[in-house]
Amino acid sequence: MKTLLLSLVIFISLSCSNTDDDNSSTTDIETPITPTLIGKSSISNPSTPLQNILITNQLQWDSLLLSMNEVNNVSSSFTETNINFSNYDIVAVFRNPISNSGSSVDITNIVENQTQRLVTVQYLTNGFNSNIAQPFHIVKIPKSSKPLIFQ
């Protein structure tokens, strides 16, 4: 009886320690998120502030579209403007207005791990001219309750 009880205690101890090891190894796993392009261009005569934002509802989306369309109808070139916020979030990045129509801001990667979603943003400059423009990149991603971190 003592041998059976001792064997059971050892078995349970080993099982618990293996479970902890398995959990710690999965927290670092990153899964790519494939975004859907909504719009990527520049705003001439920009009135939208420099920002990297996560849009999770229709009110936020309407406010952004209103701001972007203040001078020109920028959203007319978007692939879609009717977003189902029950299933999707919007990630939007804006660069400061710059004297350079060749500049861009790019969402180059989005990944998800156990605790958060990470968005990699890259700013490129390709020559200079006298035009003032504000580059932007807007994508749609599946809805999640995990926080979004820009890097």
Side-chain angles (χ1 to χ4, degrees):
M1 182 70 175
K2 284 184 179 181
T3 306
L4 180 63
L5 192 56
L6 182 60
S7 296
L8 184 60
V9 168
I10 290 172
F11 176 75
I12 291 173
S13 297
L14 290 175
S15 295
C16 289
S17 66
N18 286 342
T19 302
D20 290 344
D21 290 343
D22 290 343
N23 286 341
S24 66
S25 66
T26 60
T27 57
D28 294 336
I29 294 174
E30 292 183 340
T31 304
I33 296 173
T34 303
T36 301
L37 178 66
I38 298 296
K40 182 173 176 21
S41 188
S42 293
I43 302 170
S44 54
N45 300 316
S47 60
T48 304
L50 168 72
Q51 56 187 333
N52 297 328
I53 56 173
L54 173 66
I55 298 170
T56 60
N57 63 57
Q58 190 66 47
L59 185 61
Q60 293 170 325
W61 180 235
D62 289 343
S63 177
L64 178 65
L65 292 176
L66 186 63
S67 172
M68 291 182 73
N69 292 332
E70 189 173 324
V71 175
N72 298 310
N73 189 6
V74 177
S75 67
S76 66
S77 66
F78 288 2
T79 59
E80 62 183 295
T81 54
N82 295 320
I83 309 299
N84 180 346
F85 285 101
S86 297
N87 297 325
Y88 297 100
D89 289 330
I90 297 291
V91 177
V93 295
F94 294 86
R95 186 174 185 161
N96 273 330
I98 188 168
S99 295
N100 182 347
S101 62
S103 292
S104 69
V105 59
D106 298 293
I107 297 170
T108 59
N109 194 32
I110 304 176
V111 295
E112 181 174 33
N113 62 32
Q114 292 283 343
T115 59
Q116 61 193 2
R117 297 177 292 172
L118 303 167
V119 177
T120 303
V121 178
Q122 184 176 27
Y123 301 96
L124 300 174
T125 302
N126 301 320
F128 291 92
N129 64 34
S130 61
N131 295 334
I132 302 287
Q134 182 179 30
F136 65 86
H137 192 176
I138 301 172
V139 297
K140 176 176 76 172
I141 60 174
K143 172 103 32 218
S144 173
S145 60
K146 294 178 185 176
L148 190 74
I149 308 297
F150 291 93
Q151 47 185 10

